[in-house]
Amino acid sequence: MTLTRSSGTNWSGNHRYRAAETLLPTDLDELAAAVSAADSLRVQATRHTFTDVGDTDGSLISLENLPARIEVDGERVRVEGLVTFAQLAPVLEAEGRALHNLGSLPHISVAGAAATGTHGSGTRNGNLSSAVTALEIMDAAGDHHFVHGEHPWFPAAALGLGAFGVMTAVELRTVPTYTVTAEAYTGVAWDDIVADPRRLFASAYSVSVFTTWGDPAHDLVWVKTTDADPEAGYVTDLGGRPIGDDLHLGRIRTVGNTTERGTPGPWHTRLPHFRAEALPSDGDEIQSEYFVPLDAAADALAAVRAVASDIDPVLLVTELRTVAADDLWLSPAYRRDVLAIHFTWRNDNAGVAAVLPAIEAALAPFDARPHWGKAFTMPGETIRATLPHVEDFLAAARETDPRGVFRNAFLERTLGL
Ligand SMILES: Cc1cc2nc3c(=O)[nH]c(=O)nc-3n(C[C@H](O)[C@H](O)[C@H](O)COP(=O)(O)OP(=O)(O)OC[C@H]3O[C@@H](n4cnc5c(N)ncnc54)[C@H](O)[C@@H]3O)c2cc1C
């Protein structure tokens, strides 16, 4: 009989799972038996989402007791079960390989990151779903599917919000390992940041801007250069000075949990903002993020700044990043390079829900798409209008999961699935 535990809460504690239990299969046969017996099921991975995207009125299932093999094969790596980037990165590094990018923290699961379009920064760097080359999916009948790049479901399932079944393994594209040097600069004027956002964000391999939309002391540009492209000249030309040890991310004062700055190191020790062995970010928080075309960045930033006083009471910090265009149907970067406008909020569900509509109204003229794993209040029809292939996605999900076992209230509300 499959073990169970209580479903608990997400990482930040702002969402208590409705599901009565989390099933803990120990092998693929047990997983298949649990899946085929279920009316409603969602996978619970490392729980770093902020909404009910991964919840259900039925049961959750975790892959934590399944084997978590990592197999590096030439330019690809295949990871099984509940592998995190913190586990994957050193294995890749030992083989002289790397991922093209990482999110701000390595604590999250590879499958969960792919499912929601998790991203880092860089005008030439796609999100982590864009590194997926194949998926192994168990459908609601317990049958296995190898969904490779040419498979008709691929553009839907590679960023599939868990709607296609249980991803038992994910295969990713890797690149030769590389060295990254990070530095965080203070002293860059906001007017210079918004004067030419594309130039600023393209000035190094990965560029993030932190702000609280008013206090210049909180404006920070975190630049990550590679050994192949070591220049951070544009930021210093704009007057940027390394911030030194007193690093704060807006109203979050860091506590020795950030990755090293000022010295070169392997990609996975510098690309995330937070160290694998420490608590990332603030911990007691909610996050939201919206994606607008990079070409509209200056206007979109002006629109958000106009509502800054409304959002200020619940804001800890905003981070601005970029994501390169991809071809995945639900991707916030589908066929457009985007500016990602992120908000780390105080852990106050009602307070956050009250301010989100002002941001969403400000960004509506830019066809903003939300981050699937973070809090938003946009109506489903508004989101669907920004996604040209949403009907194709829905058709593929219905064909794959005719019993609707992997559907949930979130998918119904946002996509009409
Ligand atoms: C401190 C912090 C920092 C963050 N930084 C970033 C960042 O830099 N960039 C960014 O884009 N996001 C960031 N996020 C958001 C987060 O990384 C994503 O939302 C990601 O989806 C979390 O993955 P998870 O496995 O932890 O989440 P979960 O909630 O466990 O899973 C996410 C979704 O994937 C589905 N899923 C997971 N595994 C499987 C599987 N094997 N098969 C089928 N479905 C599956 C789940 O059902 C759920 O719907 C951050 C979050 C936190 C808490």
Side-chain angles (χ1 to χ4, degrees):
M1 213 180 76
T2 305
L3 293 171
T4 63
R5 63 165 161 72
S6 108
S7 298
T9 70
N10 64 343
W11 170 83
S12 75
N14 79 306
H15 178 76
R16 175 161 291 284
Y17 290 99
R18 286 191 304 273
E21 59 185 0
T22 299
L23 307 171
L24 303 168
T26 53
D27 60 32
L28 290 179
D29 289 340
E30 250 182 51
L31 177 67
V35 168
S36 47
D39 291 329
S40 181
L41 194 73
R42 294 288 294 183
V43 178
Q44 186 181 51
T46 39
R47 303 176 294 108
H48 281 62
T49 47
F50 294 88
T51 67
D52 58 347
V53 61
D55 206 351
T56 168
D57 291 326
S59 296
L60 297 174
I61 195 156
S62 169
L63 309 189
E64 67 199 54
N65 289 348
L66 259 65
R69 273 185 290 265
I70 300 174
E71 296 165 311
V72 183
D73 181 11
E75 297 186 353
R76 310 257 166 112
V77 61
R78 176 181 176 275
V79 304
E80 284 178 2
L82 187 68
V83 168
T84 65
F85 290 98
Q87 293 164 324
L88 170 59
V91 177
L92 283 178
E93 177 64 14
E95 297 285 334
R97 305 300 296 176
L99 297 176
H100 74 289
N101 210 354
L102 287 170
S104 67
L105 77 176
H107 310 62
I108 51 174
S109 73
V110 173
T116 61
T118 297
H119 62 94
S121 194
T123 52
R124 284 166 290 164
N125 298 327
N127 61 31
L128 295 168
S129 316
S130 73
V132 173
T133 51
L135 300 165
E136 291 166 45
I137 295 183
M138 183 182 284
D139 70 16
D143 294 331
H144 297 272
H145 301 267
F146 182 67
V147 182
H148 51 82
E150 306 305 315
H151 192 289
W153 303 349
F154 185 81
L159 197 170
L161 302 181
F164 288 77
V166 180
M167 291 184 274
T168 54
V170 180
E171 187 188 81
L172 299 172
R173 186 180 305 107
T174 66
V175 297
T177 187
Y178 53 99
T179 299
V180 173
T181 304
E183 194 51 89
Y185 296 91
T186 186
V188 182
W190 180 257
D191 286 349
D192 288 332
I193 290 170
V194 295
D196 192 348
R198 187 181 274 278
R199 183 164 178 207
L200 175 71
F201 284 102
S203 67
Y205 190 75
S206 167
V207 175
S208 293
V209 171
F210 289 85
T211 184
T212 50
W213 303 98
D215 183 349
H218 287 161
D219 292 346
L220 190 79
V221 187
W222 199 335
V223 177
K224 297 175 182 179
T225 55
T226 64
D227 38 0
D229 187 5
E231 279 303 311
Y234 186 55
V235 175
T236 49
D237 291 349
L238 294 179
R241 313 177 298 277
I243 194 166
D245 291 335
D246 186 25
L247 181 68
H248 53 81
L249 304 174
R251 294 168 183 140
I252 303 174
R253 193 153 293 276
T254 61
V255 285
N257 56 349
T258 50
T259 47
E260 197 165 312
R261 287 170 285 122
T263 58
W267 58 282
H268 62 99
T269 62
R270 301 295 189 275
L271 284 178
H273 300 329
F274 300 104
R275 294 174 187 267
E277 65 280 10
L279 177 76
S281 194
D282 182 77
D284 194 16
E285 68 194 58
I286 298 172
Q287 299 182 7
S288 302
E289 194 166 30
Y290 301 94
F291 301 82
V292 296
L294 184 53
D295 289 337
D299 291 339
L301 291 171
V304 177
R305 202 165 158 106
V307 297
S309 59
D310 296 347
I311 68 177
D312 192 64
V314 274
L315 182 71
L316 290 175
V317 70
T318 275
E319 181 180 6
L320 309 173
R321 289 178 282 183
T322 52
V323 188
D326 62 49
D327 285 319
L328 304 176
W329 290 340
L330 286 198
S331 175
Y334 178 76
R335 299 260 167 105
R336 62 188 201 188
D337 295 339
V338 289
L339 176 75
I341 308 176
H342 163 97
F343 304 84
T344 301
W345 306 112
R346 299 183 194 286
N347 197 348
D348 169 3
N349 277 322
V352 171
V355 299
L356 292 180
I359 297 172
E360 292 167 1
L363 293 178
F366 309 100
D367 286 338
R369 297 172 182 154
H371 191 305
W372 296 111
K374 302 184 182 181
F376 58 88
T377 57
M378 294 164 75
E381 65 214 49
T382 307
I383 301 171
R384 292 196 289 276
T386 72
L387 297 167
H389 281 284
V390 70
E391 291 303 328
D392 297 322
F393 179 93
L394 295 174
R398 288 185 184 118
E399 185 189 328
T400 320
D401 181 20
R403 287 201 292 129
V405 170
F406 297 102
R407 289 176 210 161
N408 65 4
F410 177 94
L411 293 173
E412 186 179 358
R413 193 169 72 238
T414 57
L415 296 176
L417 183 63

